[in-house]
Structures are given as C-alpha cells and as structure tokens.
Amino acid sequence: MGADFPFSMPRFPEDAEREPLPESLTRYMGFLIAKAHQRLWTLFNDECKRLGFDVPCGGVLHLLDECGSMSQQQLGRKLRIDRTSMVKLVDVLEEKKLAKRRDHPEDRRIYLVEITPAGKKALAELQVVGEAMEKQLLSPFSEDEVKTIRRALLTLAG
Amino acid sequence: MGADFPFSMPRFPEDAEREPLPESLTRYMGFLIAKAHQRLWTLFNDECKRLGFDVPCGGVLHLLDECGSMSQQQLGRKLRIDRTSMVKLVDVLEEKKLAKRRDHPEDRRIYLVEITPAGKKALAELQVVGEAMEKQLLSPFSEDEVKTIRRALLTLAG
DNA sequence: CATGATTGTCAGTATTGCTGATGATTTCCT
DNA sequence: AGGAAATCATCAGCAATACTGACAATCATG
C-alpha cells in the first residue's frame, strides 16, 4: 500500500485464530473493504516496521519521492491526513533522517519537506516488497479484472 | 457495510478541502483500499451516529441478527475484533438496550449475546440507508463488475 | 482429580485523530 | 500604504482505540 494515515488499526488475526468472514456480512461492500484493509494494512505495516518506520511514513516518503518536496499541508491534502497529524508524521521522518524540513525560499511560513538519500533507500526497499506483495495478492485475477477493481476503488475513494 | 471494528479512522475530508488522490499512489491497491475505506467508513459512521451508535456496533448487530445469539469470542472471531475490544462493544450495546447478555444454559463461562427488539429496529433502519448508499456508490458499475469487485475484496480480505 | 484450556473481565499502556488556540507570515482589499 | 483576512506550522489537551498481561470462574481432558 502506499500511504495511509496515522491511526490505530486492529491487527489481522494470525492463521490459527482466524476463520472465514461470515457470509451475511460479506454482502456489504463496506465490510469487505474494511476487512481487506485490515489485512493489507497489517501485512504492509509489518514490512514497514522491519525497515524502521510504518505505513503512514511510507506513504509520505512515496509521495515526496514521486512529486518532489512540498509543504506539510500539501502532503496532508494529497494523502487525506489531518494537518496536525502531519506534524508528528514529519517529526518522526525527520528524527529517523528519512526526510527533512527545509525553508521555503519565497514563503517563510512554509517548510518544504524533502526526502533524504536514506529515505530514498528505505523507500526503494519498501517498494520491492510492496510490489511483490501486490503481485501475489492479485495473482488470482486477470489483467482486465485488476483494472476493474482499481477503477472501482478509485471511484469509491472519491 | 456492515461492520467493522472499534478503531479511530481519520475522517474523509469535506468537499471543500479535498483534492484528487495523487496518481502515483493510486497505483497501489493498498492505498486505494485504504482511502476507499476511509470514505465509506466516514459516510457510514455518520449514518450510524444518527441512529445513536457507530459502525462497529452496527456490525455486531448485523451478525447477531443474521446468525443468532453467540458468545463474545465468536463475535470477535467472526468480525476479526480483539476479544477485549468486544467486551466494551457489548457493554455499549447493552447500555443502549440494543443487545443483551444472557447466561448460556450449558456453559457458565459464556454469555450469549442477543439482539433486542430495539436492536432489530435500529438495524433495520441502518440497513435501509446502508443499502441505498451502496446502491448509489456502485451505480457506475455493471453487475458483472460488481461481482468481480466483491470477489476480489473477499480474496484480499483473506 | 489434577492439569490445562477457555471465557469474560479489567487495569494499564501506548497510539491515534482532532479541536481549538497561538505566532509568524503572506495575501488581499481599499 | 495600511489593515483585515487568510495561510502555514505548531502545540496542548482531549477523547477514542487496540492491545498486553493479568485474573477468577468454569469447563474439558486425561
């Protein structure tokens, strides 16, 4: 997954204590999305943790790497994370030397958040496992089906 | 959506302060699911709040209504909610008279959680708005596409 | 009968998202 | 030019949340 947001997600249960979802609830798209999210978040967050950060940080790194430096507000708007939550997120990234705040040359209210070389390195590692994970998760589906799914989720995400 | 889980989800931003998701991140299924979840959860939770409870409670009610009384552990396993979180969830439901704990006739360790008439009534109202919401959200997609999406999410949910 | 597993509960901890405020700037308006 | 309003980052504090690790009561197993 790319990014998410800082929030506490209930863990996807271990194999031993997990049972199939109740069919009566799987009729609801919202329930399905919620539980799919729970699983993917757990899987991906474990990988992030191995690299020393977490899912929300990974999302910020990804965005910074793709789109270049931007202000915290921009980050928050794009990732749909509250501005005040973004402060702490960038604090963490800075503390771990994965990103840093730079002064904006023209607007002194703004910090331009910038990914560091260490951040790029960590992100690259994350992308490797992330893409492998997605590939495996989506292996049961055809290319067309994946396209449909993607389009649907994008629509649902608003 | 039926149910979810007790946890704090960042709100889907209001129209005014929302911008399209960054394309670079929408390539990731995990990100898409996360953001779709964020939106649906916000929408559905607002409806639940109008009825005096919240999404996780709605999920429990739904399961109880469909599958009959069961223990808290069973509820938790089926909904993939931690056992200790379930305690508080049932506390809330009982306080609001939407469900109640009954003694298990054969195993005195267990409470059978049971939906009340008031709970059934609230659930019925929720289902009306829930189904209307899903119908609207899925209106851009054909029946076959919806089937594919459902199957995909079910697979991803594990 | 003794050991171990299961169920519900609770206290305590660590996180999390957000509200509302502040100070520093910039932009807009006249 | 000058003042009002908007913008940005930040912070304190609040209300939820998930989970760990304990506990007592009860049941299952050998």
Side-chain angles (χ1 to χ4, degrees):
Chain A
M1 130 162 7
D4 288 336
F5 26 61
F7 76 120
S8 175
M9 168 71 78
R11 264 194 85 78
F12 183 66
E14 305 295 336
D15 292 18
E17 55 206 271
R18 188 172 67 244
E19 51 178 85
L21 295 173
E23 209 208 315
S24 53
L25 279 166
T26 58
R27 273 175 300 171
Y28 291 87
M29 197 61 75
F31 181 74
L32 285 174
I33 290 185
K35 292 301 142 183
H37 184 202
Q38 181 179 18
R39 174 151 176 248
L40 296 197
W41 196 91
T42 299
L43 289 173
F44 202 70
N45 199 53
D46 284 350
E47 294 299 333
C48 289
K49 284 280 168 66
R50 282 197 322 105
L51 295 168
F53 47 100
D54 61 7
V55 175
C57 288
V60 173
L61 288 180
H62 197 109
L63 189 55
L64 289 175
D65 191 51
E66 294 267 356
C67 303
S69 311
M70 63 184 80
S71 73
Q72 298 181 184
Q73 300 259 356
Q74 271 178 300
L75 283 169
R77 268 195 303 267
K78 284 186 193 301
L79 296 171
R80 301 187 177 170
I81 298 178
D82 181 80
R83 72 202 142 83
T84 63
S85 305
M86 190 57 67
V87 173
K88 292 170 202 160
L89 216 45
V90 175
D91 283 348
V92 170
L93 285 171
E94 206 163 29
E95 186 201 348
K96 294 183 190 297
K97 313 281 190 201
L98 300 173
K100 68 178 169 195
R101 286 182 241 246
R102 302 192 47 164
D103 289 335
H104 190 291
E106 289 157 16
D107 189 334
R108 301 201 311 205
R109 292 170 302 182
I110 296 177
Y111 286 130
L112 279 182
V113 184
E114 183 179 271
I115 191 169
T116 65
K120 277 179 193 280
K121 187 158 170 294
L123 177 62
E125 292 186 54
L126 184 61
Q127 282 173 331
V128 171
V129 300
E131 270 156 37
M133 194 183 290
E134 292 226 343
K135 195 168 179 177
Q136 196 209 328
L137 289 168
L138 294 174
S139 62
F141 300 96
S142 76
E143 215 167 297
D144 267 2
E145 286 176 319
V146 171
K147 202 174 280 181
T148 298
I149 297 161
R150 233 179 261 291
R151 194 165 54 88
L153 290 172
L154 198 54
T155 303
L156 290 174
Chain B
M1 127 168 10
D4 289 337
F5 25 58
F7 74 119
S8 174
M9 168 71 78
R11 264 194 85 77
F12 183 65
E14 305 295 335
D15 293 17
E17 54 205 272
R18 188 171 68 244
E19 50 178 87
L21 295 173
E23 208 208 314
S24 53
L25 279 166
T26 58
R27 272 175 300 168
Y28 291 88
M29 197 60 75
F31 180 75
L32 285 175
I33 290 185
K35 292 302 144 183
H37 184 203
Q38 182 179 16
R39 174 152 176 247
L40 296 198
W41 196 91
T42 299
L43 288 174
F44 202 70
N45 199 52
D46 284 350
E47 294 298 334
C48 288
K49 285 280 169 67
R50 282 197 322 104
L51 294 169
F53 48 99
D54 61 6
V55 176
C57 288
V60 174
L61 287 180
H62 197 109
L63 188 56
L64 289 175
D65 190 52
E66 293 268 355
C67 303
S69 310
M70 63 184 80
S71 74
Q72 299 181 183
Q73 300 261 358
Q74 272 179 300
L75 283 170
R77 269 195 303 266
K78 284 185 193 300
L79 295 172
R80 300 186 178 170
I81 298 177
D82 181 79
R83 70 202 143 85
T84 64
S85 304
M86 190 57 66
V87 173
K88 292 169 201 161
L89 216 46
V90 175
D91 283 349
V92 171
L93 285 171
E94 205 163 30
E95 185 202 346
K96 295 183 189 297
K97 313 282 190 198
L98 301 173
K100 67 178 172 197
R101 286 183 241 247
R102 302 191 48 163
D103 290 333
H104 190 291
E106 288 157 16
D107 189 335
R108 300 201 314 202
R109 292 170 300 181
I110 297 177
Y111 285 129
L112 280 181
V113 184
E114 182 179 272
I115 191 169
T116 64
K120 279 179 191 279
K121 187 159 170 294
L123 176 62
E125 292 186 53
L126 184 62
Q127 282 173 331
V128 170
V129 300
E131 270 155 37
M133 194 183 290
E134 293 227 342
K135 194 169 180 179
Q136 196 209 328
L137 289 169
L138 295 174
S139 62
F141 301 96
S142 76
E143 215 166 298
D144 267 2
E145 287 176 319
V146 171
K147 203 173 281 182
T148 298
I149 298 160
R150 233 179 260 292
R151 194 166 53 89
L153 289 171
L154 198 54
T155 303
L156 291 174

